[in-house]
């Protein structure tokens, strides 16, 4: 097939060249020139000649949403899949992406055929997994293929109601010279797939393997092409799995769906709080934090362990929490509360494999550390949240009421909250604090 003309575009400054160069002559960055097709359509088919209307006259689009077959995933997506919606699902190898999508595919066959394109596993491997999961699948079409142009043909021919591409890194277009998995291939294929999905009104899941650095598909560049980005989290050797909505053009971000990996695939967990604090122990260093980045809070257990340092450079290790944020909290603990950890190793762990990025966890993490250091447990009937400022002040955070209500629902009697939030909720006492010191005095 004749090659369409290509150009090389600097990913850093946008400089274009007809030849590949190791270093961008415009911005001086190395290895930033990436092959792209010279002419391209638009992903959003807005067309030309659109109307100009005041905001008040635009009606909200109503979508006919289709269920993924999992109530929690539908809820996290904002009510199911929208026609033409392109969803990137990213996660480390072995976490369960293919398993989840195979289950979704099977359940989606109630709407028609589902095309599962796999460039990672052979048809018989997937079929074996399908049988293990108890799927029958007359309408579930497995297609082990990596050449994009062939996949296009099959989509035309089979007219599926859902497309799965597992994984985007294995698919390549013959229009580009670079190999599968390169930035240009991944971008090109995603772009054209998105175009096709919009045109046909078919939703699609694209699997993106996360590289060691944690970037999605190597190329973070996919994020702006797709409508929705889901991140699959959890520890491989633990059975909790969390799907987080990182971006969503058809719903809110921060929503989560919790699953449990069983011998029969993924099962949805409808009461995640019960799940995450189910094994909590009453020991120094353990606290309960109502976590939320979306509208549904989940109670999670945060654990800290402070021990005399083993080596001259004390260790700071975290799981599910940012290690730089920990360094900051240790500095605040020292300066504002007189809790010294200079000669101690400090470990912080969010139980269950969920990772907590919101600053609202600061107060809980700081208290877990203080509690371990002082060898005094935080009372069992308490939850706490709040962001910490550098002067040790406790700052307001979002979703205060949702968090406290979730704690009340699970029988907690007291919630330590930022004093600037005016929260009064029946059945639970709120203890407003304005500084870290105050929180430590109240709880330890
Ligand atoms: P997989 O879906 O292949 O992960 P990914 O596509 O993200 O690379 O998940 C594979 C893991 O899940 C593997 O370690 C086995 C485990 N698993 C179960 O525990 N139960 C099951 O029913 C299935 C199908 C897989
Ligand atoms: Mg897989």
């Amino acid at each position: 097939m004749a090659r369409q003309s290509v150009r090389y575009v600097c990913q850093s400054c946008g400089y274009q060249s007809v030849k590949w160069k190791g270093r961008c002559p415009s911005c001086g960055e190395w290895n930033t020139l990436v092959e792209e097709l010279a002419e391209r359509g638009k992903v959003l088919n807005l067309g030309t000649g659109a109307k100009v209307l005041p905001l008040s006259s635009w009606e909200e689009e109503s979508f006919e949403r289709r269920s993924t077959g999992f109530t929690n995933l539908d809820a996290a997506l904002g009510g199911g899949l929208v026609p033409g919606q392109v969803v990137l699902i990213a996660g480390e190898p072995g976490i369960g992406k293919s398993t989840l999508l195979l289950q979704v595919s099977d359940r989606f066959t109630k709407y028609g055929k589902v095309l599962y394109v796999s460039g990672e596993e052979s048809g018989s491997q997937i079929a074996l997994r399908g049988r293990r999961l108890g799927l029958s699948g007359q309408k579930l079409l497995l297609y082990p293929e990596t050449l994009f142009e062939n996949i296009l043909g099959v989509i035309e021919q089979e007219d599926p109601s859902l497309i799965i591409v597992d994984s985007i890194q294995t698919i390549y277009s013959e229009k580009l010279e670079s190999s599968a998995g390169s930035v240009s291939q991944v971008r090109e294929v995603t772009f054209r797939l998105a175009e096709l999905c919009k045109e046909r009104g078919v939703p699609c899941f694209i699997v993106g393997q996360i590289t060691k650095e944690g970037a999605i598909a190597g190329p973070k560049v996919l994020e702006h092409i797709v409508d929705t980005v889901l991140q699959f989290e959890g520890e491989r050797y633990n059975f909790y799995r969390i799907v987080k909505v990182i971006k969503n053009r058809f719903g809110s971000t921060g929503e989560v769906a919790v699953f449990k990996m069983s011998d029969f695939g993924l099962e949805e967990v409808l009461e995640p709080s019960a799940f995450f604090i189910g094994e909590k122990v009453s020991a120094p260093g353990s606290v309960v934090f109502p976590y939320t980045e979306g509208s549904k809070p989940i109670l999670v257990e945060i654990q800290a362990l402070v021990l005399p340092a083993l080596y001259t450079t004390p260790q700071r290790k975290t799981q599910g929490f940012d290690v730089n944020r920990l360094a900051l909290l240790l500095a605040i603990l020292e300066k504002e509360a007189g809790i010294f950890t200079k000669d101690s190793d400090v470990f912080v762990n969010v139980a269950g494999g969920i990772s907590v990025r919101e600053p609202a966890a600061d107060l809980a993490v700081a208290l877990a550390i203080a509690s371990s250091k002082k060898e005094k447990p935080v009372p069992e009937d308490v939850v706490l949240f709040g962001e910490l400022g550098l002067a040790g002040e406790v700052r307001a955070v979002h979703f205060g009421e949702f968090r406290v209500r979730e704690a009340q629902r699970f029988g907690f009697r007291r919630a330590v909250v930022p004093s600037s939030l005016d929260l009064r909720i029946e059945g639970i006492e709120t203890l407003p604090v304005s500084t870290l010191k105050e929180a430590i005095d109240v709880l330890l």
Side-chain angles (χ1 to χ4, degrees), residues 117-295:
V117 180
S118 177
E120 301 222 334
E121 289 160 301
S122 70
S124 52
Q125 276 173 317
I126 306 168
L128 187 71
R129 178 186 293 141
R131 282 188 205 114
R132 179 175 162 188
L133 296 173
L135 316 181
S136 53
Q138 272 300 313
K139 288 199 210 153
L140 173 44
L141 308 175
L142 304 182
Y143 182 37
E145 177 59 270
T146 52
L147 179 60
F148 183 64
E149 281 72 16
N150 285 350
I151 298 169
L152 281 185
V154 169
I155 293 174
E156 298 283 341
Q157 186 190 314
E158 298 291 345
D159 190 26
S161 61
L162 175 70
I163 303 166
I164 313 282
V165 176
D166 186 2
S167 67
I168 194 68
Q169 281 95 347
T170 58
I171 313 293
Y172 72 101
S173 162
E174 60 191 1
K175 291 192 177 164
L176 294 176
E177 271 174 36
S178 41
S179 54
S182 65
V183 178
S184 25
Q185 283 288 5
V186 162
R187 274 219 321 200
E188 179 62 23
V189 172
T190 308
F191 193 89
R192 284 172 57 199
L193 197 61
E195 222 171 27
L196 184 78
C197 289
K198 301 284 165 211
E199 226 171 78
R200 305 183 70 94
V202 188
C204 170
F205 279 100
I206 296 175
V207 172
Q209 301 289 7
I210 287 191
T211 60
K212 276 181 250 101
E213 299 78 37
I216 291 171
K220 269 279 227 186
V221 288
L222 290 190
E223 286 192 12
H224 70 272
I225 307 178
V226 301
D227 299 306
T228 306
V229 180
L230 304 180
Q231 191 149 306
F232 214 130
E233 294 179 358
E235 289 155 35
R236 203 165 161 174
Y237 300 104
N238 195 330
F239 49 81
Y240 311 98
R241 296 287 182 275
I242 298 119
V243 174
K244 250 189 210 176
V245 181
I246 305 292
K247 162 186 170 167
N248 195 359
R249 282 192 186 137
F250 306 110
S252 44
T253 56
E255 304 294 340
V256 287
V258 179
F259 296 89
K260 188 175 132 189
M261 181 62 97
S262 73
D263 288 341
F264 309 100
L266 289 151
E267 289 168 15
E268 53 191 307
V269 174
L270 293 171
E271 278 292 8
S273 293
F275 213 58
F276 283 111
I277 57 170
E279 292 171 290
K280 185 184 173 331
V281 285
S282 167
S286 160
V287 302
V288 174
F289 165 63
Y291 157 80
T292 184
E293 283 176 40
S295 56

Side-chain angles (χ1 to χ4, degrees), residues 86-136:
V86 181
V87 183
L88 174 67
I89 175 158
E92 286 174 21
I95 196 102
K97 300 180 295 297
S98 304
T99 305
L100 178 67
L101 291 181
L102 198 60
Q103 289 177 278
V104 168
S105 299
D106 179 61
R107 296 177 186 195
F108 213 86
T109 52
K110 71 171 182 204
Y111 299 110
K113 288 185 204 164
V114 174
L115 183 66
Y116 191 112
V117 180
S118 177
E120 301 222 334
E121 289 160 301
S122 70
S124 52
Q125 276 173 317
I126 306 168
L128 187 71
R129 178 186 293 141
R131 282 188 205 114
R132 179 175 162 188
L133 296 173
L135 316 181
S136 53

